[in-house]
Amino acid sequence: MKQKVLSITLFLLCCIVSFGYDGMVITTYLPDVGSITIMVISEEEKTCQIGNGSDLAIESNGFSGNIEIPSNIAGYTPISIGNKAFADCYAVKKISIPNSVVAIGREAFFRCFNMESLYLPSSVRQIGNGAFQRAKIQKIIIDDFDSWTKIDFESYDSNPFSIAKSIYIGNGQVTEIVIPNTLTEIKPYSFEVLAGVKKVTVPSSIQKIGKNAFANSSIEQVHISSIGDWCKIDMEDESSNPFYCNATLDVVTDLYVGNERVTNITIPDNITTIKPYTFSKLCSVSSLTLSSSLKTIESSAFSRSNIEKCYINSLEDWCSIDFADASSNPLNSYGVLYENGNALSEIVVPSSVTNIKPYTFYGLILKGLTLHSGINHLSKEIIKEGFPYGITYIKSEMTVPIDIDDDVFPNDVLANTILYVPDDCQTAYYNKSNWNKFA
């Protein structure tokens, strides 16, 4: 009778293992690791997740060594690593993930302090928030950058690059990145805090770079195919731009077209708009040439750049540009505007220009500015606060001063600049709001 009961019990246990169900949690045994917990994702497809989604997948107490997750566990193929699966596994040295895994959950490797290496296969497509928060990894091993740039990182600390001291493709340490020309997008956080990489090559195929893609990296050279191709890229924020990666570091990133270092940028005739952040913190370029076809420069296009000279065909062209904000003006850090090769220290607004747009002369080093009688509107912040390059005089030829807002001229211009007005019009200007603030 006892033998019959034992046989039935064994038969039922076999049925439980052989005929599982979606969501079933199984604890099994792996050599060199010990017990490991998995959760069935699809019984039909025989796929599972490492861990149950909220607790440790292994017993970390006393465990020390390497974890090589097999591609088959208890008859199931692991396709994800669950939330907190290896959190607080202080003693784990190396982890190798099989090429079947496509997702890594939140805080999966939270506070893994002593990891020497982590291998992430090309199959991974999603890494959750905080997956590598407060962890430490000496070396990240990946298959290639083609697959790497396809990963959706939920946050900054989803990317193990943020904590790794070195990056390897196979057995070779990575010192430069060549983005494959099969890609059209670099996703958010892809290369944030990129250790040991000094050079990146961006192909003409790239159309978009996501937020923080290159934040806090140490890139010293950016190689592109052409200025025209670069101007067509949509950048989500300043840290999308690899020039901006050293915003908190005392490092200047050089621009190369092909293998030629660029110190002067010429915007091609077919570019009518310079998009946001396109040249943010490009400190190695000191001069810029604009074509007559350029109509719009969007927000922060030249934020923290170092343009000292800007060459244009005519003042009419310059005054027709829509500047989205102060840092969209390429001379926002103080520089000289050149018309047909001649430096403009004193500007006479062309008679064809009746509306001075916002930020038009913002950052220009000028001695004087003349406003003709046909001007009907002056927009905000047309001139930057002048120290140490303050404008000496403003000459208005308007016999009847137009209405202006209090943000047209900065306070130091009002206090230190001479305003010249037509004879017998002093009283009109004295009685006109904001004009009467000139010293």
Side-chain angles (χ1 to χ4, degrees):
M1 181 67 180
K2 288 183 179 180
Q3 185 176 1
K4 186 175 181 181
V5 171
L6 181 60
S7 298
I8 293 172
T9 303
L10 290 173
F11 173 76
L12 291 173
L13 286 172
C14 289
C15 289
I16 291 172
V17 173
S18 301
F19 302 101
Y21 54 88
D22 295 356
M24 181 177 71
V25 176
I26 300 172
T27 300
T28 186
Y29 178 84
L30 291 180
D32 302 323
V33 174
S35 63
I36 185 168
T37 300
I38 64 172
M39 184 174 71
V40 176
I41 294 177
S42 171
E43 175 60 28
E44 181 180 356
E45 297 178 0
K46 290 293 182 181
T47 56
C48 72
Q49 170 183 278
I50 305 295
N52 62 15
S54 59
D55 300 310
L56 277 175
I58 64 172
E59 295 180 5
S60 63
N61 294 337
F63 175 79
S64 178
N66 305 338
I67 297 177
E68 184 169 347
I69 301 171
S71 57
N72 186 297
I73 303 176
Y76 295 91
T77 299
I79 60 172
S80 69
I81 296 175
N83 297 341
K84 300 184 178 180
F86 297 100
D88 292 314
C89 290
Y90 310 130
V92 172
K93 301 295 184 184
K94 296 180 181 179
I95 294 182
S96 182
I97 297 171
N99 203 36
S100 56
V101 171
V102 297
I104 297 174
R106 296 182 175 184
E107 300 184 5
F109 299 98
F110 178 75
R111 286 195 303 207
C112 289
F113 292 142
N114 297 301
M115 292 177 64
E116 295 175 359
S117 71
L118 170 68
Y119 168 66
L120 288 178
S122 58
S123 58
V124 175
R125 287 293 178 268
Q126 183 178 359
I127 302 181
N129 184 42
F132 296 94
Q133 185 179 0
R134 298 177 67 182
K136 292 181 180 179
I137 303 175
Q138 296 294 320
K139 180 168 70 173
I140 297 289
I141 305 169
I142 64 175
D143 290 330
D144 54 70
F145 285 119
D146 189 357
S147 55
W148 183 262
T149 53
K150 296 174 182 175
I151 298 175
D152 289 320
F153 298 98
E154 191 174 354
S155 67
Y156 148 76
D157 44 20
S158 302
N159 190 334
F161 285 174
S162 65
I163 54 167
K165 292 187 176 180
S166 59
I167 302 157
Y168 283 72
I169 292 180
N171 295 321
Q173 185 172 357
V174 175
T175 57
E176 67 176 273
I177 293 173
V178 178
I179 306 295
N181 59 15
T182 55
L183 297 178
T184 59
E185 178 184 0
I186 300 174
K187 295 190 175 185
Y189 312 109
S190 289
F191 299 107
E192 185 165 7
V193 198
L194 190 60
V197 174
K198 303 300 182 183
K199 175 182 174 182
V200 61
T201 299
V202 181
S204 59
S205 60
I206 295 298
Q207 300 172 13
K208 181 180 179 180
I209 304 179
K211 67 179 181 180
N212 285 12
F214 291 95
N216 300 310
S217 297
S218 55
I219 296 168
E220 296 177 0
Q221 295 182 15
V222 177
H223 291 246
I224 63 175
S225 56
S226 72
I227 297 298
D229 289 332
W230 185 256
C231 288
K232 295 175 183 177
I233 298 175
D234 290 317
M235 301 193 190
E236 197 168 348
D237 64 10
E238 285 181 315
S239 295
S240 304
N241 193 328
F243 301 142
Y244 203 82
C245 65
N246 296 311
T248 60
L249 304 174
D250 188 21
V251 178
V252 174
T253 303
D254 292 326
L255 171 64
Y256 289 75
V257 173
N259 291 315
E260 183 177 348
R261 185 173 178 269
V262 175
T263 57
N264 173 68
I265 289 176
T266 298
I267 304 299
D269 291 340
N270 64 336
I271 299 298
T272 59
T273 298
I274 299 177
K275 297 182 178 183
Y277 317 114
T278 298
F279 298 108
S280 287
K281 203 178 181 287
L282 182 54
C283 297
S284 61
V285 172
S286 58
S287 67
L288 174 72
T289 301
L290 304 180
S291 71
S292 299
S293 58
L294 186 66
K295 300 303 179 187
T296 303
I297 304 180
E298 296 187 350
S299 176
S300 299
F302 291 92
S303 172
R304 300 180 65 175
S305 63
N306 193 37
I307 304 296
E308 298 173 355
K309 300 176 181 179
C310 185
Y311 296 88
I312 59 173
N313 293 324
S314 70
L315 269 174
E316 287 92 342
D317 292 340
W318 178 261
C319 291
S320 70
I321 297 173
D322 290 317
F323 298 99
D325 59 16
S327 57
S328 65
N329 190 319
L331 296 174
N332 69 82
S333 295
Y334 294 113
V336 177
L337 187 65
Y338 288 75
E339 183 182 29
N340 291 320
N342 300 311
L344 300 178
S345 61
E346 298 176 277
I347 286 181
V348 177
V349 176
S351 58
S352 60
V353 177
T354 59
N355 173 22
I356 307 295
K357 297 181 179 182
Y359 316 109
T360 296
F361 304 116
Y362 192 91
L364 274 64
I365 299 175
L366 292 175
K367 179 181 178 181
L369 175 64
T370 299
L371 307 173
H372 63 78
S373 60
I375 288 177
N376 55 41
H377 183 70
L378 296 176
S379 301
K380 65 178 182 180
E381 296 188 64
I382 61 171
I383 296 176
K384 184 177 182 178
E385 288 183 298
F387 182 82
Y389 304 112
I391 189 169
T392 303
Y393 72 86
I394 293 176
K395 180 180 179 182
S396 173
E397 296 178 345
M398 294 176 277
T399 55
V400 178
I402 62 173
D403 293 331
I404 61 171
D405 294 329
D406 57 9
D407 58 358
V408 172
F409 299 111
N411 289 331
D412 73 329
V413 170
L414 294 170
N416 300 298
T417 303
I418 299 172
L419 175 64
Y420 293 99
V421 301
D423 293 340
D424 301 325
C425 294
Q426 291 93 337
T427 301
Y429 279 85
Y430 182 78
N431 293 324
K432 194 68 170 180
S433 178
N434 293 316
W435 287 105
N436 58 14
K437 294 179 181 179
F438 279 91

